Amino acid sequence: MAKPSALIENGKPVFPPPHAAKSYWLHADGGYVPNHDVDGDLTCDVLVIGGGIAGTSSAWHTVKDGVGKVVLIEAEIIGFGASGRAAGWIMPQFGMDQLTIRAKYGAERSQQAFAYCRRAVAYTREITEAHAIASDYREPGLMRVAFDDRWVYDLQELYEHYRSIGMDQVSWVESDELRSKYNGNPHFKAAISDPELGLLNPCKQVRGLKRLAEEAGVDIYENSPAVHLERMAGGVRVITPRGSICAGKVVLATNAFTHMLEGPLGREVRQLQSPVFARGAVTERLSPAQWQSIGWEQGNAIESSLDLFHYMAPTADGRIQFYFIYYGGHPVRGEMEPAISGKGADVSLAHLKRIFPQLQDVRLEHNWGGHMSGTRDLVPHLTQIGDERVIYIAGCWGHGLAINHLHGQTVSHLLQGKRSELTDFWIVNRKPRAWPKFPFDFLGKQAAWMNLKRRARKQLRGSIFEGAEGELVE
C-alpha cells in the first residue's frame, strides 16, 4: 500500500493531519497527534464513550466535580465527528427548530428550552474565555435574512414567535436599514438580528476541551471503538479491539453514531436517534477589497429563510464557509461517511454569488460532509437508560455545540444523584421515542425529506436563486 505523500518544510517531511479530508477544520488544525488506544483491561468509576463536545464536556465536569476516576474513549480521533465538521455556530437554538417545538410541546416548554439554550451560549463563552481555549471565538451576531419579498411574511411570523418565548435580544431590521449594512445590496429585504450568536472553530474547541479534561485527570484513549457493551453486576463492561473497560457508570455521548453500538446495551439505544447528513464547503480567502465591496466586514453569520440552504459565515482567516442540507438527508442502512456533494457545493456557491455579484471570481477550496443526530420526538435526548448506570446524550439536530457544553454539567449532576435546576429541565430523564425499524423508518424519513425538498424548490421559484447552476435534483 502506498504511503501518503508528504510536503517538505525546512527539509523535513510533513504529512497531512489525521482525517484531513473530513473537513476544513480538521485539515487546518495540522500537527494533531492522537492519544494511544486502549491496550489491556481498565477499570474506572465513569466511562464516557465519544470524544465530541458532549463527551469531553461530560468527562471534564465529572472529574472536576470529584465523582471518581473517569476514562473517555473515542472510536477515531477527537474532532472526527460533528465536533470537527460543524459550522461552529454558538446559538440558542433547540431541537429541530423553535416553531416546531412550540407547536408540539407548547409555549411554556418552548420558553424553558430557549432559557436553557441561552444559558448554554453564555456558558460556552465563559468556558472558552476563562480557560483560554484558542478556538477563534468571537460574537458577531446573526442576521436571518429574507432574500425575496415573498419570504418576509414568514420571517415576521418567526420574529413574533421568538419574542413570545423570551428572545428579547432579537430585533427586526427593515430593508432600508438592512441594505445600508451591506453596501445597499437590493437582495436584502428584511432580517431578524440576533447579536448573541457566537462563532468558533469547532475542531479547536473540542480539542481545547480535551486539554481541560486531561489536565483535570481524565484518561483519554483515541482509536478505541466500543465494539461490545453490556451491563454487569455493579456497572457496565465495554470491549474495545485491544482491551476492555469495566465501569461503575457509562455516558453514551455517541450522538449520530449511537446506532452503531453493539452488544446488549447497544441494542437498547440503537433506534433512539438517526443520523442526518449535512454538507459544508469553504471558499478561498477573500481580499480586504472583496470584503469591503460586499459590506460584510462586520463578520456576522447569515442565515436565510429558505429551507435547507444558506447557512453562511466568515471564518477567522477570511473565507466564507457555508452549509447546505438540501443535498444531505438520511443514510440508507447505517452508512456514516457521506459522499462529498460537488453538485450541492457548486449550487451553494452559485447562490452566494447571486447574493453578492461582486464575488463572481471566488472559488471553493474545501468541500465535506458531516452528521447531525435526529430524534423522532424532535428534541435532544439526555436521559438515563434502564437505570442510573447508563446516561445517553444525542439528538441536537445540528444545534449541539452550545447546548452540549452545558449538558456536560447536567450529566455530572445526574452521575452524582444531585437534583438541580439543570436536571429539572424537562428533556432530562424523559423517555425517548424510538424510530421504527428498517425499512419503515427509512421510508418515512425519505417521504418527510422529499416534502422538505419540494418546499425548498417551491420557495426558489421566482427568486434570485432560480436556475443557479441548473435545476435542483431530488
Side-chain angles (χ1 to χ4, degrees):
M1 181 180 293
K3 293 183 178 180
S5 60
L7 300 174
I8 303 299
E9 293 184 4
N10 300 321
K12 296 181 180 180
V14 179
F15 290 93
H19 297 297
K22 300 300 182 186
S23 79
Y24 166 71
W25 310 117
L26 284 160
H27 183 273
D29 196 28
Y32 180 75
V33 179
N35 292 10
H36 61 79
D37 62 335
V38 173
D39 181 13
D41 299 324
L42 307 174
T43 60
C44 60
D45 296 293
V46 177
L47 171 63
V48 178
I49 301 176
I53 297 289
T56 52
S57 180
S58 295
W60 175 55
H61 281 92
T62 299
V63 78
K64 74 187 185 73
D65 286 348
V67 176
K69 180 177 176 56
V70 179
V71 170
L72 183 149
I73 61 173
E74 161 58 39
E76 299 285 348
I77 62 171
I78 301 297
F80 173 82
S83 298
R85 311 190 203 191
W89 293 23
I90 304 300
M91 61 190 302
Q93 186 62 272
F94 179 80
M96 189 172 184
D97 64 72
Q98 293 284 11
L99 283 176
T100 302
I101 299 307
R102 176 167 181 161
K104 186 173 180 64
Y105 295 102
E108 182 177 357
R109 285 190 166 183
S110 183
Q111 291 169 355
Q112 292 168 354
F114 168 68
Y116 186 91
C117 292
R118 195 175 192 183
R119 179 173 175 174
V121 169
Y123 191 52
T124 302
R125 179 177 62 248
E126 177 187 327
I127 291 172
T128 305
E129 294 176 349
H131 297 279
I133 298 178
S135 57
D136 304 321
Y137 181 84
R138 63 262 189 218
E139 205 167 274
L142 167 69
M143 285 287 188
R144 185 174 177 89
V145 180
F147 289 113
D148 191 283
D149 289 323
R150 297 167 302 166
W151 303 351
V152 173
Y153 177 81
D154 288 341
L155 194 65
Q156 287 176 322
E157 184 180 24
L158 181 63
Y159 172 70
E160 291 167 3
H161 165 71
Y162 281 168
R163 299 292 293 185
S164 73
I165 63 171
M167 294 181 68
D168 54 8
Q169 85 279 14
V170 301
S171 59
W172 181 259
V173 186
E174 293 284 359
S175 59
D176 288 346
E177 179 185 354
L178 181 62
R179 290 169 183 168
S180 71
K181 298 177 184 292
Y182 296 93
N183 285 359
N185 192 319
H187 303 315
F188 286 72
K189 307 299 183 181
I192 300 172
S193 174
D194 183 350
E196 293 187 0
L197 178 129
L199 295 172
L200 51 71
N201 180 317
C203 186
K204 290 181 178 180
Q205 183 75 7
V206 71
R207 290 174 178 173
L209 288 174
K210 173 192 174 182
R211 169 180 62 83
L212 296 185
E214 289 186 313
E215 289 174 352
V218 178
D219 293 334
I220 297 179
Y221 298 88
E222 296 175 73
N223 295 300
S224 300
V227 298
H228 183 89
L229 298 86
E230 62 183 3
R231 299 176 192 269
M232 65 178 191
V236 175
R237 181 170 180 258
V238 175
I239 298 174
T240 67
R242 300 204 308 136
S244 68
I245 307 165
C246 292
K249 296 180 180 180
V250 65
V251 178
L252 304 178
T254 42
N255 212 1
F257 294 82
T258 302
H259 66 289
M260 300 177 70
L261 295 175
E262 298 289 347
L265 179 52
R267 289 192 289 272
E268 289 184 45
V269 297
R270 188 171 296 163
Q271 298 296 127
L272 298 185
Q273 70 82 42
S274 177
V276 181
F277 291 159
R279 307 189 193 278
V282 68
T283 68
E284 61 189 346
R285 283 193 181 94
L286 272 63
S287 69
Q290 286 174 312
W291 284 111
Q292 186 176 26
S293 72
I294 61 177
W296 199 0
E297 298 165 287
Q298 60 270 45
N300 62 282
I302 292 177
E303 177 179 323
S304 90
S305 50
L306 172 67
D307 291 333
L308 309 183
F309 275 108
H310 306 160
Y311 309 91
M312 305 175 286
T315 63
D317 62 349
R319 308 167 192 273
I320 297 175
Q321 57 102 349
F322 47 85
Y323 282 74
F324 48 97
I325 308 175
Y326 185 93
Y327 287 92
H330 296 276
V332 178
R333 286 299 297 265
E335 68 172 303
M336 287 304 288
E337 282 308 317
I340 302 302
S341 175
K343 173 73 173 178
D346 288 344
V347 169
S348 293
L349 182 62
H351 284 195
L352 176 71
K353 293 177 180 181
R354 292 287 179 92
I355 299 170
F356 298 112
Q358 303 93 323
L359 302 182
Q360 290 303 314
D361 296 330
V362 170
R363 298 174 299 174
L364 290 179
E365 191 162 289
H366 204 118
N367 184 9
W368 68 93
H371 328 83
M372 301 183 292
S373 176
T375 58
R376 190 178 181 189
D377 37 17
L378 307 180
V379 295
H381 294 164
L382 200 175
T383 184
Q384 294 171 334
I385 299 294
D387 56 44
E388 63 181 13
R389 287 177 291 178
V390 181
I391 296 175
Y392 149 74
I393 313 169
C396 290
W397 285 98
H399 303 125
L401 280 183
I403 197 174
N404 279 328
H405 284 80
L406 188 57
H407 275 355
Q409 192 174 47
T410 309
V411 165
S412 177
H413 290 181
L414 287 174
L415 290 167
Q416 297 172 65
K418 173 183 176 181
R419 182 175 179 180
S420 68
E421 186 179 2
L422 295 176
T423 62
D424 284 342
F425 181 36
W426 61 270
I427 68 163
V428 176
N429 276 339
R430 178 179 173 274
K431 185 177 180 180
R433 290 187 66 196
W435 289 101
K437 292 185 178 181
F438 188 87
F440 304 105
D441 67 331
F442 178 71
L443 295 174
K445 292 169 190 172
Q446 289 302 104
W449 197 252
M450 290 301 103
N451 183 55
L452 288 174
K453 294 175 77 169
R454 281 192 293 270
R455 179 179 173 183
R457 291 196 299 276
K458 183 178 179 180
Q459 286 180 287
L460 283 170
R461 294 188 193 113
S463 75
I464 61 170
F465 307 110
E466 186 175 21
E469 290 296 316
E471 294 298 320
L472 295 181
V473 298
E474 280 284 344

